[in-house]
Amino acid sequence: MIHSLFLVNSSGDIFLEKHWKSVVSRSVCDYFFEAQERASEPENVAPVIPTPHHYLISVYRHKIFFVAVIQSEVPPLFVIEFLHRVVDTFQDYFGVCSEAAVKDNVVVVYELLEEMLDNGFPLATESNILKELIKPPTILRTVVNTITGSTNVGEQLPTGQLSVVPWRRTGVKYTNNEAYFDVVEEIDAIIDKSGSTVTAEIQGVVDASVKLTGMPDLTLSFMNPRLLDDVSFHPCVRFKRWEAERILSFIPPDGNFRLLSYHVSSQNLVAIPVYVKHSISFREGSSLGHFEITIGPKQTMGKAVEGVLVTSQMPKAVLNMNLTCTQGAYTFDPVTKMLSWDVGKINPQKLPSLKGSMSLQTGASKPDENPTINIQCKIQQLALSGLKVNRLDMYGEKYKPFKGIKYMTKAGKFQVRT
């Protein structure tokens, strides 16, 4: 299974390594660094890299590469899923998964990796079990450990590991019982220059924060479950009942967890939240070019589009840009040729626009193609696919919990061609 794990930061330094079976030399990462240099962006590094004696399988999250070293053939998705679990666990324990957080809690990190993987095979990856095995770090616990020389390792074996629901510990008690669910959708789309959709798909997740006493049994139903054509569940969900009735029935883990992730790729179901009117032109033999874009809301069901950021990689021939914007602020970096316009919230009555001229290199030929426009934005209280939660019921306990549901849509890789 997994022999070693290397954590690599954005500048290409290995700042943590862990070996389970035998020590693998750091030089194995040279193959990974070569692939990293070839990739235009960190996200584009190949997830599986074969080397003469090993396979390198990596994930990139929070500006850190988690690189696992494998010596025999293993299903790659098995390793990728484990690496994502490691990142989620670090985030759960330290609040953020960053290089600084890992270095500050290096002892807890090694204790966690020792419990999560036993001789190279996954053992305990559930947050509830790990928190009973290794107590999350607090300032007080850190001070006590420093003075007494003790560790964060728990005294007893976790109660959940021996039960039929290993993701939930026994004897959970809360004064306020609450269950909150977040439906978060990310739209990836490519729009051509005439405004029609080339490709569009939605990646969605339902994240839960459940703090309930005892051993509750929950059911969650949707108004339109048929929208979900490609679904991945947390192990707590009873899959047979979902297949038969399209109802989520589960005993929830204690705390924060991802209940399900889904994918909507039918073109007719994906609404496009914003549109861009653009006029970008370069004249042959002239040192000036014209640039104008206007952005507005499209299919947002009346909800406001917020946090809009427009970026565009301009051609190398562009020396500078002299633009005026009706809203927000723009920056242009003459070195990287990156134009960035921070729009903020779109007012449908007065659409934000950015227009002006571009200075081009004298004598340089007209650029072969116009730049593409990348858009980031978010819309609160809207799930773009139309997914809606119908009701949440609880069985097995007498009290009435607080229940809440929140929707959000944000742009993932949203690109407009000009």
Side-chain angles (χ1 to χ4, degrees):
M1 187 46 197
I2 298 176
H3 273 250
S4 303
L5 175 68
F6 294 98
L7 268 59
V8 181
N9 63 17
S10 49
S11 53
D13 300 324
I14 299 169
F15 64 92
L16 187 122
E17 59 185 280
K18 171 82 178 111
H19 307 281
W20 282 276
K21 291 191 172 184
S22 55
V23 177
V24 177
S25 168
R26 280 185 171 203
S27 60
V28 75
C29 289
D30 291 347
Y31 295 98
F32 175 77
F33 295 140
E34 284 172 20
Q36 197 180 353
E37 279 175 26
R38 284 197 300 271
S40 55
E41 290 178 25
E43 291 89 352
N44 295 344
V45 176
V48 181
I49 300 167
T51 74
H53 303 291
H54 305 90
Y55 290 99
L56 303 180
I57 299 180
S58 65
V59 299
Y60 178 72
R61 284 181 64 183
H62 307 287
K63 298 184 180 173
I64 299 172
F65 284 101
F66 291 75
V67 185
V69 180
I70 318 294
Q71 273 189 336
S72 55
E73 203 154 306
V74 171
L77 285 176
F78 187 43
V79 182
I80 287 169
E81 178 60 30
F82 173 76
L83 292 175
H84 282 300
R85 285 285 176 97
V86 170
V87 182
D88 293 341
T89 303
F90 288 175
Q91 204 165 358
D92 200 17
Y93 264 71
F94 313 132
V96 289
C97 179
S98 63
E99 185 182 348
V102 170
K103 284 179 175 174
D104 290 346
N105 300 283
V106 71
V107 174
V108 180
V109 166
Y110 276 110
E111 287 170 349
L112 283 169
L113 291 174
E114 201 61 58
E115 293 297 340
M116 292 182 82
L117 216 62
D118 183 34
N119 197 33
F121 291 91
L123 178 66
T125 57
E126 278 299 333
S127 177
N128 283 279
I129 291 172
L130 286 166
K131 280 182 178 169
E132 286 189 73
L133 282 166
I134 297 151
K135 303 281 184 284
T138 60
I139 294 169
L140 180 63
R141 198 172 282 139
T142 309
V143 171
V144 170
N145 289 353
T146 310
I147 296 166
T148 61
S150 55
T151 66
N152 286 17
V153 179
E155 301 292 316
Q156 295 168 314
L157 277 173
T159 50
Q161 202 152 18
L162 307 170
S163 75
V164 288
V165 279
W167 53 84
R168 188 175 180 86
R169 58 195 172 93
T170 54
V172 183
K173 282 193 174 69
Y174 286 103
T175 47
N176 289 333
N177 293 290
E178 51 196 30
Y180 298 117
F181 294 87
D182 288 354
V183 178
V184 182
E185 294 189 341
E186 198 168 275
I187 177 167
D188 297 333
I190 296 174
I191 312 296
D192 70 10
K193 58 169 67 176
S194 64
S196 50
T197 307
V198 178
T199 171
E201 56 183 32
I202 291 171
Q203 315 281 351
V205 295
V206 178
D207 285 329
S209 176
V210 176
K211 293 174 181 173
L212 298 174
T213 303
M215 195 66 82
D217 200 324
L218 303 180
T219 61
L220 184 75
S221 62
F222 296 103
M223 296 261 199
N224 38 8
R226 301 282 163 205
L227 284 173
L228 307 176
D229 56 353
D230 181 5
V231 195
S232 162
F233 297 109
H234 187 277
C236 69
V237 175
R238 298 178 179 102
F239 188 60
K240 280 208 164 59
R241 182 150 184 209
W242 168 260
E243 278 199 310
E245 303 173 46
R246 289 292 195 224
I247 287 176
L248 294 177
S249 169
F250 56 99
I251 293 172
D254 181 40
N256 301 328
F257 64 100
R258 179 154 291 174
L259 182 62
L260 78 148
S261 51
Y262 58 92
H263 180 217
V264 179
S265 58
S266 327
Q267 292 279 338
N268 55 343
L269 290 176
V270 179
I272 303 298
V274 292
Y275 70 87
V276 177
K277 283 182 183 170
H278 47 79
S279 166
I280 301 171
S281 58
F282 303 99
R283 284 188 294 279
E284 192 71 63
S286 170
S287 62
L288 283 177
H290 174 72
F291 184 95
E292 182 177 350
I293 55 173
T294 304
I295 186 166
K298 198 173 179 185
Q299 294 160 304
T300 61
M301 325 307 180
K303 301 281 192 287
V305 183
E306 303 171 348
V308 179
L309 177 67
V310 179
T311 56
S312 183
Q313 181 69 54
M314 303 308 288
K316 287 190 173 66
V318 177
L319 294 175
N320 210 341
M321 301 186 77
N322 184 21
L323 307 172
T324 52
C325 51
T326 58
Q327 184 181 327
Y330 84 94
T331 57
F332 175 71
D333 189 333
V335 179
T336 59
K337 313 293 184 192
M338 180 60 79
L339 171 69
S340 178
W341 177 28
D342 189 349
V343 181
K345 186 175 178 178
I346 294 179
N347 177 4
Q349 272 73 47
K350 189 173 179 241
L351 297 178
S353 67
L354 178 69
K355 62 181 175 181
S357 60
M358 299 177 279
S359 305
L360 309 177
Q361 283 176 0
T362 47
S365 60
K366 182 182 164 187
D368 296 334
E369 53 189 33
N370 276 1
T372 54
I373 298 167
N374 298 300
I375 297 171
Q376 289 174 19
C377 63
K378 61 176 186 239
I379 306 165
Q380 302 285 1
Q381 293 307 326
L382 172 72
L384 209 57
S385 65
L387 186 72
K388 274 199 167 59
V389 172
N390 183 22
R391 57 182 298 161
L392 174 71
D393 296 306
M394 185 183 77
Y395 305 96
E397 298 290 341
K398 297 281 192 290
Y399 57 84
K400 275 194 168 182
F402 295 108
K403 296 181 268 191
I405 179 92
K406 194 170 80 181
Y407 300 92
M408 190 172 91
T409 295
K410 54 184 181 179
K413 290 193 172 175
F414 193 98
Q415 196 175 83
V416 179
R417 292 172 177 167
T418 62

